[in-house]
C-alpha cells in the first residue's frame, strides 16, 4: 500500500517591522532573528513581499532560493527578491546582517537618478562574493542604517534618510558587480527593454504565454524582443517565457497542495493536458512525477 504524502507549504511573509515606528526598512542580525523565532520557522519555505539582503559575517550560510542551492561564506551577500521562495538550510554556527526593505522604498524618492534603483537591485545576482573594501563598506552602511532606524525623528524624515542610504548601498553593490563582470570579459549593461520585459513577465506570466503579447505591450517587434533576450539571457524570448512559467509551476507543485488541474487553470492553460504537455517538454517529466520527487512522508 503506498504511503501517504504531503506537500511542503509556502509560508507567505509580509513586511512587518518590529519597531514601534512603521519604517520601510529594518536591519538586524541573524542572531537576533534566531531569538525571535524557533528553529523550525527558519527552515520552513517562505515567500516574501519584501527584499532581503543577507550579508554573511562568519561561517557558511546555506540557502535554497527557487530550487537553487546557494552556499555563502563570510563576506558574501545573498539577495532575495519579493516573490521568490526561500529557505535557510540547517546550521546555527553562522551569523549575518539582514537588511529588509519594502519595494516601495526604491520608487518613492524624487530625482531622475533614483528612478533607476529598482533596475539596479534587479540586476544584482543572487550571490555576490565581496572584496575587502566593499565588504567593509556594506558592514559600515548596515551599522549606520541600524542606528538610524532607532533615531527619535518623524517617520517621513527617517524613511527619506534610510532611502538615501539604501540608494548609496545599492549603487555601490552595482558598481562592484559591474567591475567583477568586466574582469571576466562580460558586460553588466542590461538593456532597459529587457528589464521591462522581465517586469512584465513577473506580472503577466499567469496570463500571457506568447512572445507577441509582450512585444505588443513593449511597442517592439517579436524579432527585436527575441534578439534582446538572446543577447542578455542567452536564450530567445520564447524559451525565457517558458522557463519563467515552468518556475511558477514548480513553486505551486512543490509548495502547495493544489490539484494539478487547478494549477493549470491558475497558470492560464485552458486544459490540464496542455499544461502537462508543456511541463514535460521543459522538465522532462509530468507535473505529478515532479511533485512526487519533493513529497515527504507524513
Amino acid at each position: 500500500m503506498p504511503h501517504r504524502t504531503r506537500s511542503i507549504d509556502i509560508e507567505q511573509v509580509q513586511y512587518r517591522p518590529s519597531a514601534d515606528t512603521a519604517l520601510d526598512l529594518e536591519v538586524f542580525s541573524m542572531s537576533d532573528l534566531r531569538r525571535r523565532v524557533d528553529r523550525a520557522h527558519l527552515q520552513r519555505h517562505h515567500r516574501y513581499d519584501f527584499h532581503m539582503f543577507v550579508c554573511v559575517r562568519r561561517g557558511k550560510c546555506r540557502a535554497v532560493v527557487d530550487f537553487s542551492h546557494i552556499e555563502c561564506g563570510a563576506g558574501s551577500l545573498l539577495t532575495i527578491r519579493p516573490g521568490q521562495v526561500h529557505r535557510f538550510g540547517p546550521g546555527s554556527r553562522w551569523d549575518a546582517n539582514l537588511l529588509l526593505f519594502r519595494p516601495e522604498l526604491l520608487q518613492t524618492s524624487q530625482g531622475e537618478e533614483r528612478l533607476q534603483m529598482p533596475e539596479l537591485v534587479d540586476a544584482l545576482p543572487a550571490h555576490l562574493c565581496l572584496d575587502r573594501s566593499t565588504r567593509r563598506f556594506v558592514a559600515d552602511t548596515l551599522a549606520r542604517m541600524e542606528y538610524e532606524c532607532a533615531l527619535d525623528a518623524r517617520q517621513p524624515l527617517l524613511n527619506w534618510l534610510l532611502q538615501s542610504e539604501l540608494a548609496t548601498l545599492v549603487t555601490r553593490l552595482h558598481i562592484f558587480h559591474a567591475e567583477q563582470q568586466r574582469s571576466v570579459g562580460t558586460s553588466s549593461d542590461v538593456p532597459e527593454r529587457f528589464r521591462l520585459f522581465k517586469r512584465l513577465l513577473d506580472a503577466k506570466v499567469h496570463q500571457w504565454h506568447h512572445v507577441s503579447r509582450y512585444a505588443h505591450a513593449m511597442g517592439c517587434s517579436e524579432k527585436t524582443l527575441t534578439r534582446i533576450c538572446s543577447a542578455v539571457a542567452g536564450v530567445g524570448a520564447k524559451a525565457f517565457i517558458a522557463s519563467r512559467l515552468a518556475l511558477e509551476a514548480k513553486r505551486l507543485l512543490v509548495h502547495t497542495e493544489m490539484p494539478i488541474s487547478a494549477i493549470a487553470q491558475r497558470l492560464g492553460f485552458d486544459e490540464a493536458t496542455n499544461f502537462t504537455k508543456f511541463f514535460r517538454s521543459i522538465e522532462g517529466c509530468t507535473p505529478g512525477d515532479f511533485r512526487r520527487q519533493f513529497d515527504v512522508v507524513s
Side-chain angles (χ1 to χ4, degrees), residues 283-294:
E283 298 297 326
C285 63
T286 67
D289 289 340
F290 184 86
R291 171 173 271 173
R292 282 186 285 274
Q293 293 175 27
F294 289 85

Side-chain angles (χ1 to χ4, degrees), residues 97-112:
N97 292 320
L98 307 182
L99 169 64
L100 278 55
F101 59 93
R102 299 174 66 240
E104 290 79 2
L105 194 62
L106 299 170
Q107 301 166 344
T108 55
S109 59
Q110 296 181 352
E112 190 172 322

Side-chain angles (χ1 to χ4, degrees), residues 5-296:
T5 62
R6 61 180 174 85
S7 294
I8 303 168
D9 290 328
I10 300 175
E11 183 172 338
Q12 304 287 337
V13 181
Q14 296 181 332
Y15 180 78
R16 293 189 181 92
S18 59
D20 294 334
T21 55
L23 298 175
D24 293 333
L25 180 151
E26 187 175 13
V27 180
F28 51 90
S29 70
M30 189 67 195
S31 300
D32 292 335
L33 182 59
R34 290 192 184 102
R35 286 190 286 268
R36 294 185 194 180
V37 300
D38 58 35
R39 183 178 300 180
H41 173 86
L42 289 176
Q43 295 185 20
R44 286 199 289 270
H45 291 79
H46 300 95
R47 196 171 193 174
Y48 311 108
D49 70 351
F50 51 85
H51 291 271
M52 179 164 66
F53 289 179
V54 182
C55 187
V56 182
R57 295 203 312 264
R58 61 177 174 84
K60 287 187 177 180
C61 164
R62 294 176 174 86
V64 180
V65 181
D66 278 344
F67 305 97
S68 296
H69 292 259
I70 303 174
E71 185 173 290
C72 302
S76 292
L77 181 75
L78 176 68
T79 62
I80 302 160
R81 295 171 174 81
Q84 290 186 313
V85 176
H86 164 256
R87 176 176 67 86
F88 282 119
S92 59
R93 295 186 176 181
W94 64 277
D95 204 0
N97 292 320
L98 307 182
L99 169 64
L100 278 55
F101 59 93
R102 299 174 66 240
E104 290 79 2
L105 194 62
L106 299 170
Q107 301 166 344
T108 55
S109 59
Q110 296 181 352
E112 190 172 322
E113 71 282 358
R114 298 292 179 86
L115 299 178
Q116 301 303 315
M117 284 299 109
E119 287 76 16
L120 293 184
V121 172
D122 195 47
L124 292 176
H127 179 208
L128 269 176
C129 292
L130 307 177
D131 62 13
R132 182 176 298 180
S133 64
T134 307
R135 180 181 178 180
R136 187 182 307 113
F137 177 85
V138 171
D140 291 346
T141 302
L142 293 181
R144 189 164 56 250
M145 284 179 167
E146 185 174 13
Y147 169 78
E148 289 166 351
C149 284
L151 290 175
D152 184 14
R154 292 189 298 113
Q155 178 187 334
L157 289 176
L158 282 181
N159 270 327
W160 291 338
L161 176 61
L162 294 169
Q163 186 179 62
S164 176
E165 296 277 16
L166 179 62
T168 301
L169 175 64
V170 169
T171 303
R172 178 65 180 268
L173 289 171
H174 186 77
I175 291 172
F176 171 74
H177 178 46
E179 291 173 346
Q180 276 195 323
Q181 290 195 312
R182 281 195 295 270
S183 70
V184 296
T186 57
S187 173
S188 63
D189 295 327
V190 180
E192 174 61 28
R193 282 188 175 181
F194 181 74
R195 291 194 287 260
L196 173 58
F197 174 46
K198 284 183 64 180
R199 291 197 296 272
L200 280 172
L201 189 56
D202 286 339
K204 299 294 186 179
V205 68
H206 300 85
Q207 305 167 32
W208 298 354
H209 298 174
H210 301 291
V211 178
S212 59
R213 296 297 301 271
Y214 295 94
H216 177 75
M218 294 169 59
C220 67
S221 69
E222 294 179 47
K223 287 184 178 180
T224 297
L225 180 54
T226 295
R227 185 172 62 250
I228 291 171
C229 194
S230 296
V232 175
V235 296
K238 181 179 179 180
F240 196 82
I241 293 168
S243 176
R244 179 63 180 82
L245 186 60
L247 172 60
E248 197 63 27
K250 290 189 288 186
R251 287 171 171 172
L252 294 171
L253 286 166
V254 174
H255 302 296
T256 77
E257 296 182 354
M258 291 174 63
I260 290 174
S261 59
I263 291 176
Q265 184 177 14
R266 179 166 176 175
L267 293 178
F269 290 89
D270 53 0
E271 297 286 346
T273 53
N274 292 336
F275 169 60
T276 298
K277 182 179 178 181
F278 161 80
F279 192 87
R280 190 199 295 271
S281 70
I282 301 297
E283 298 297 326
C285 63
T286 67
D289 289 340
F290 184 86
R291 171 173 271 173
R292 282 186 285 274
Q293 293 175 27
F294 289 85
D295 280 346
V296 294

